[in-house]
Amino acid sequence: MIKYGFLIALGIASTAYHLWFTQLFPFEQDQHKIAHLGFMLVGAAVLAFEPEPETRRERLGNYATLLEAALSVVVAVYLFTAFNRIVYEQLGIYTHLDLFMGLLIILLLLDVCRRVYGPMLSLVGVVGLAYALFGPYFPGILNHNGVQAERLVQGLTVEFGSGVFGVIVEVSGTFIIIFMILAGLLEAYGALEYFVQVGTLIGKRVRSGLAQMTTVASMGMGSVNGSAAANAATTGAFTIPLLKRHGLDRDTAAAYEAVASSGGQIMPPIMGAAAFIMAEITGMSYLKIIVVGFLPALLFYGTVAIGVHLTTIKEGLTSEVNEEELTEVETVDEDRKNALNRIFGRTTTAVSFGQISVRNLIVEGLALWVPLVVLLYALVVLMYDPLYAGFLSIMSAFPAAFVQGIFFRDGYGSRDFFVDTMDGLGRGMENAAPIAVSLGVMNIFVGVLNLTGFTQVFASSLVELSGGVLALLLMFAMVAALLFGLGMPTVAAYITAVLLIAPALTEAGIDLLAAHFFVFYFAILSALTPPVAIACLVTARVAGGNFWRTAGKSLVLGAPLFVLPYVFVVNDSLLFWSAPATPITFVVVGVALVATVTAIVNYFSGQLRLPNRAGLLVAAGAAMFAPLVPMTVAVQAVATLTILALLYIEVKYGSESETGQPEQAAVDD
């Protein structure tokens, strides 16, 4: 109870502060970043606290966590109050206490990040520091003159505007925090339950109804919270038990959730946190980013939906959604429910699972779609800054949720709305704190790259290694992005990869935004890539399945997605719209991806004949990469017609013995 109570109190204070700052800007941005990191460090430390420690190690960890939370307050207050003296009065002359506080915030970021994300990301920061200090001892392109320890601490902290307090944390303290507050409120007002109902409505119309509910719910929640692991844990706790109960084996159910959860971050209009980072790094508008990302996101989830549908029917799960059964699975974890009950005397209220219809979804979705409509209207029509658009979206969420609860839910009163709102502010802190701390650690790494000049050296070496062959360069970039993403949150993986890889891609002639989206997609797909595969790890635990089997099935289901970034680099009209190229390319690539996933799953109306399966893969490749050869339009037309003909042959002439219904899969306990 104490943990959740403190998170709610911290969420209230943090929300009030950030909304106040983003509207009035009462002091400098660099000074604001200090306060922002202070809030987030304390919040992340509280998240790492174990309310019921069972071992001596957990108890010692709690003591260390509390100490780090207290030290975070001390260092933030010191740097905030000393800001004017350090920046304007001393003009680059720092006291020993200034440097000590700078060193302390570096250590706090590294260890608090380790507690909430595991060791991988913190290790990146430590390796960066070691590289800066011991540069002369590194071989080849890694060699540099080295940075003195005092200069390193100065450059990363008390000089402000770079290092820990660089532009990435500035984005975290403005755009990301506003949208994470909105995400927390939407979650508390019933976003997960709402997306489940939308998925249920869609699922009623297809044979893979339950599985498609998983896809829709994960897509919606992923766009809101921007974290593959958090999305997998949140929606997976609801969807995986349902899939298992209806006969799907646990590893396949976990794979569905892992793949569907990974892609939510590419789905406009929110796109998690990475869209704001991308906008800042590229200098493009946020609206431009979400427009460019829209069609690839549709292709991504269209491919996932087709793969899920075919795999589901192949494995024997064709049950329709039972609306009454939805009430049997909890969408709020037990610890949160108990804590809210003890603090407020009641728990959070979810959207009811009554008669699911389009009309009811409109009414029960007020708290979700009103803020999203306000956001899109402010961005697209009024052309407001995303920061102000996000603020208006938050302000609209309160009355929308109040009206939805008071007028359309039985027994819902003002007190219920108050508790849901408090819970939402606490969730906002839970969403924002780990991301902000990870970005602080990434700023350490970025600061080291800037101090040593390694970014330019690495980009030149990557181009040289590829021998100027674009396909080889893209493959190197893919491998590097996947490696950088192992065990790291998507935003951190994207930042690391894009700073090192994107310059090489743009130097090779690829458009800046295309290069960023190429790297971004593979940073996302690293959540499915062994040996870490964080999304698969989470869903396998929820399902009680085997991690390696889950990861293997996720790679099969997600295999076409690894081709998609290459496709939109070759077919840039998918990113930069023009008529008639964009609609034609979208249809051609969509058909090609259907063929690809059909061939990989090896099922359409039944198991595919080998010649047809090979033909689908060849025709799909020709359709997707037609711009690389002469007579592009003709190649696209022939390839598309070939795919449609092969699929028709499979439906028309497949024998009953080959295309009959598969045996029902064994039900997991």
Side-chain angles (χ1 to χ4, degrees):
M1 183 186 76
I2 295 175
K3 175 179 177 177
Y4 282 100
F6 197 86
L7 281 172
I8 289 172
L10 195 61
I12 295 169
S14 174
T15 300
Y17 165 76
H18 284 95
L19 291 179
W20 171 61
F21 176 81
T22 54
Q23 294 310 300
L24 300 179
F25 297 98
F27 35 78
E28 289 188 39
Q29 188 70 250
D30 285 340
Q31 195 171 9
H32 162 66
K33 285 184 262 186
I34 300 170
H36 170 69
L37 265 188
F39 273 115
M40 298 301 109
L41 272 169
V42 175
V46 173
L47 275 176
F49 185 85
E50 178 56 55
E52 298 179 359
E54 297 179 356
T55 65
R56 183 171 180 269
R57 182 177 180 179
E58 288 180 345
R59 288 192 292 272
L60 290 176
N62 279 349
Y63 294 140
T65 296
L66 293 175
L67 176 62
E68 288 176 340
L71 290 175
S72 298
V73 174
V74 170
V75 70
V77 170
Y78 177 85
L79 292 176
F80 188 88
T81 55
F83 178 81
N84 288 327
R85 172 181 61 80
I86 293 173
V87 174
Y88 296 112
E89 296 175 13
Q90 295 183 177
L91 299 177
I93 302 174
Y94 307 104
T95 67
H96 291 301
L97 186 57
D98 295 338
L99 295 176
F100 174 76
M101 289 297 179
L103 177 62
L104 184 57
I105 198 169
I106 291 174
L107 297 177
L108 286 170
L109 281 169
L110 291 172
D111 197 58
V112 171
C113 185
R114 177 189 65 82
R115 294 182 186 279
V116 293
Y117 276 120
M120 186 62 68
L121 182 52
S122 294
L123 184 61
V124 171
V126 171
V127 169
L129 293 173
Y131 175 65
L133 293 171
F134 304 109
Y137 301 99
F138 284 87
I141 65 170
L142 298 176
N143 184 270
H144 65 93
N145 293 330
V147 182
Q148 292 185 344
E150 183 175 327
R151 171 71 189 119
L152 182 61
V153 173
Q154 290 178 16
L156 293 180
T157 58
V158 292
E159 287 185 358
F160 301 106
S162 60
V164 168
F165 301 106
V167 67
I168 299 173
V169 167
E170 179 180 328
V171 175
S172 173
T174 49
F175 302 111
I176 292 177
I177 183 65
I178 290 296
F179 283 87
M180 290 301 101
I181 292 169
L182 176 62
L185 289 170
L186 295 183
E187 288 179 32
Y189 292 148
L192 174 57
E193 293 84 352
Y194 184 78
F195 285 125
V196 167
Q197 293 195 65
V198 172
T200 302
L201 195 63
I202 295 172
K204 284 181 176 181
R205 288 156 173 79
V206 293
R207 291 174 64 191
S208 57
L210 274 175
Q212 297 304 342
M213 181 191 71
T214 300
T215 305
V216 174
S218 300
M219 176 185 69
M221 287 302 297
S223 180
V224 169
N225 63 31
S227 168
N231 191 14
T234 303
T235 58
F238 180 85
T239 59
I240 290 174
L242 279 177
L243 292 171
K244 289 170 59 181
R245 188 177 305 172
H246 280 267
L248 199 67
D249 76 87
R250 62 190 70 195
D251 298 314
T252 305
Y256 283 1
E257 184 60 51
V259 176
S261 294
S262 299
Q265 300 156 91
I266 64 171
M267 182 56 66
I270 297 180
M271 294 179 67
F276 304 106
I277 302 291
M278 191 182 298
E280 188 67 33
I281 294 176
T282 61
M284 307 285 183
S285 70
Y286 172 71
L287 181 59
K288 175 75 171 177
I289 299 296
I290 63 176
V291 169
V292 167
F294 181 64
L295 292 183
L298 288 183
L299 291 171
F300 185 105
Y301 266 102
T303 303
V304 172
I306 295 295
V308 165
H309 177 76
L310 295 177
T311 306
T312 300
I313 297 174
K314 181 181 179 181
E315 301 227 357
L317 176 65
T318 57
S319 301
E320 294 184 358
V321 180
N322 182 354
E323 295 176 19
E324 295 180 0
E325 190 177 19
L326 298 178
T327 60
E328 300 175 14
V329 183
E330 295 290 348
T331 55
V332 181
D333 67 82
E334 201 64 31
D335 289 341
R336 183 184 298 279
K337 288 179 65 175
N338 292 337
L340 291 172
N341 265 322
R342 294 177 66 182
I343 296 170
F344 299 110
R346 62 166 296 277
T347 187
T348 185
T349 301
V351 177
S352 63
F353 285 100
Q355 182 65 34
I356 298 175
S357 65
V358 174
R359 178 190 173 279
N360 287 347
L361 286 180
I362 292 174
V363 170
E364 293 183 349
L366 282 174
L368 178 67
W369 60 259
V370 166
L372 293 182
V373 168
V374 169
L375 174 64
L376 291 174
Y377 183 78
L379 286 173
V380 177
V381 179
L382 301 179
M383 300 295 290
Y384 285 165
D385 180 271
L387 194 60
Y388 189 56
F391 172 80
L392 292 178
S393 187
I394 290 174
M395 292 298 103
S396 70
F398 297 123
F402 183 80
V403 170
Q404 173 187 287
I406 297 297
F407 292 99
F408 300 108
R409 294 192 199 172
D410 294 335
Y412 191 93
S414 300
R415 185 182 175 210
D416 300 290
F417 169 72
F418 171 78
V419 174
D420 284 344
T421 301
M422 295 300 100
D423 180 40
L425 298 180
R427 292 182 191 230
M429 173 56 68
E430 291 182 50
N431 290 334
I435 292 176
V437 170
S438 71
L439 293 181
V441 173
M442 287 313 306
N443 261 353
I444 294 173
F445 186 74
V446 172
V448 168
L449 295 181
N450 291 334
L451 287 171
T452 60
F454 179 70
T455 304
Q456 293 76 16
V457 175
F458 182 84
S460 300
S461 300
L462 202 60
V463 173
E464 183 179 344
L465 184 63
S466 68
V469 179
L470 182 58
L472 197 57
L473 178 61
L474 289 173
M475 289 183 65
F476 288 154
M478 175 190 73
V479 172
L482 291 174
L483 289 175
F484 288 140
L486 294 181
M488 292 171 60
T490 301
V491 176
Y494 161 68
I495 293 169
T496 307
V498 84
L499 290 175
L500 293 174
I501 299 170
L505 297 180
T506 54
E507 186 177 331
I510 297 175
D511 182 90
L512 179 62
L513 269 183
H516 276 254
F517 269 95
F518 182 89
V519 172
F520 180 39
Y521 267 63
F522 283 114
I524 289 170
L525 292 172
S526 67
L528 305 176
T529 309
V532 180
I534 186 66
C536 299
L537 185 64
V538 171
T539 57
R541 287 176 179 172
V542 173
N546 179 275
F547 165 73
W548 290 104
R549 285 197 296 269
T550 297
K553 291 192 174 189
S554 297
L555 288 177
V556 170
L557 183 61
L561 307 177
F562 285 81
V563 181
L564 185 56
Y566 293 93
V567 172
F568 61 64
V569 167
V570 173
N571 300 272
D572 58 1
S573 59
L574 290 173
L575 301 177
F576 312 107
W577 299 1
S578 62
T582 295
I584 292 174
T585 303
F586 181 76
V587 172
V588 169
V589 171
V591 171
L593 287 171
V594 170
T596 305
V597 73
T598 301
I600 291 174
V601 174
N602 193 21
Y603 192 88
F604 193 61
S605 60
Q607 186 170 333
L608 302 181
R609 297 177 179 82
L610 183 58
N612 286 2
R613 190 180 184 191
L616 285 173
L617 288 175
V618 172
M624 289 187 287
F625 297 102
L628 297 177
V629 298
M631 300 178 65
T632 297
V633 175
V635 172
Q636 287 177 330
V638 171
T640 304
L641 291 174
T642 301
I643 290 169
L644 295 176
L646 289 172
L647 294 178
Y648 176 78
I649 290 171
E650 281 297 321
V651 174
K652 184 73 173 176
Y653 299 106
S655 67
E656 186 62 30
S657 61
E658 293 179 278
T659 62
Q661 292 298 326
E663 295 180 3
Q664 184 73 13
V667 178
D668 289 319
D669 294 328

